[in-house]
Amino acid sequence: MLPEPLDIRGVKLFKEALAPAQQAALVEDLRAVQAQAPLFSPETRFGKKMSVRMTSAGKYGWYTDRRGYRYEPRHPDGQPWPPIPEPVLDLWRATTGLGRDPDCCLINYYGEGARMGLHQDRDEADFNWPVMSVSLGDEGLFRIGNAERGGKTESIWLKSGDVLLLTGPSRLLFHGVDRIRFGSSSLLARGGRINLTCRVVD
Ligand code: SIN
Ligand code: MN
């Protein structure tokens, strides 16, 4: 059973939606995805290497280089992305209530010192579909802003097992991760934080 979500500027936060055993099982599934589609550090369109390492599962993977932000049907090594793990799809169906599954599950890995600047998720065709985000491992300080750049922001610590939905008016809010508390969780043997973001792309 999912907990009742908290509401932060329209973002729905399901605290500890995944129990510790489910988190550990999911990490194993993600290990299998990474064995097929290894993590890489892409460059932003401004030519700056991202501090987060990433890979994807699903029909598309999110990708960036100097040509810009986009979805690609293949990993940079030329292989199609592995399928989205079933527990992730179950969580998407349970939190969104949708009959349409996501096309992409982006897997972000934050090592010590990694962060993600404030941005909107707007590389998808239709913003009526929600974005689901799952946090695993070390705690991350998640900042939520506004629909336009600037203005007051609010920050919350996301813990392992927490699930967020950016839905309705919160779908296009600026958001980012200022820092992680490296070593705050024992879920990942080498520490760090994993974030999954699932999106309908087409
Ligand atoms: C993202 O916005 O792509 C990642 C968010 C997070 O790491 O919590
Ligand atoms: Mn995002």
Side-chain angles (χ1 to χ4, degrees):
M1 272 291 283
L2 283 172
E4 253 324 286
L6 305 174
D7 187 303
I8 307 144
R9 299 191 175 191
V11 176
K12 308 282 180 221
L13 168 57
F14 299 85
K15 289 297 292 173
E16 294 172 61
L18 290 174
Q22 293 174 302
Q23 297 170 33
L26 185 48
V27 168
E28 286 311 308
D29 290 338
L30 297 173
R31 237 185 264 290
V33 169
Q34 286 170 43
Q36 281 187 62
L39 294 170
F40 55 91
S41 293
E43 272 188 355
T44 66
R45 58 188 158 165
F46 311 109
K48 195 168 177 287
K49 200 169 138 139
M50 292 183 72
S51 59
V52 169
R53 295 198 295 148
M54 60 181 63
T55 189
S56 291
K59 182 177 174 191
Y60 297 112
W62 188 81
Y63 191 71
T64 167
D65 59 16
R66 282 169 193 268
R67 282 174 43 214
Y69 305 143
R70 61 191 185 273
Y71 285 94
E72 289 283 354
R74 287 171 188 275
H75 186 277
D77 74 6
Q79 299 296 313
W81 307 97
I84 299 176
E86 206 57 39
V88 177
L89 295 176
D90 287 344
L91 204 50
W92 167 275
R93 293 168 192 149
T95 55
T96 66
L98 291 171
R100 163 73 150 97
D101 283 342
D103 299 314
C104 173
C105 173
L106 171 66
I107 302 166
N108 284 317
Y109 174 75
Y110 296 73
E112 196 161 13
R115 58 185 300 281
M116 187 171 296
L118 278 176
H119 65 276
Q120 290 170 300
D121 286 12
R122 49 180 324 140
D123 302 316
E124 301 75 33
D126 183 348
F127 304 135
N128 287 308
W129 298 109
V131 173
M132 180 185 79
S133 141
V134 183
S135 292
L136 294 166
D138 290 340
E139 293 168 24
L141 187 59
F142 188 77
R143 187 195 290 262
I144 305 172
N146 304 289
E148 321 252 293
R149 203 172 266 290
K152 282 207 167 121
T153 63
E154 267 174 78
S155 294
I156 45 168
W157 282 100
L158 292 179
K159 296 196 173 152
S160 198
D162 289 351
V163 175
L164 287 181
L165 269 192
L166 277 75
T167 183
S170 73
R171 171 65 177 77
L172 286 172
L173 292 184
F174 275 85
H175 59 278
V177 175
D178 288 333
R179 60 193 168 94
I180 66 163
R181 276 185 181 136
F182 191 79
S184 54
S185 155
S186 56
L187 183 70
L188 306 177
R190 288 191 207 96
R193 171 173 186 264
I194 293 175
N195 176 261
L196 308 178
T197 351
C198 293
R199 309 185 186 100
V200 172
V201 173
D202 285 326

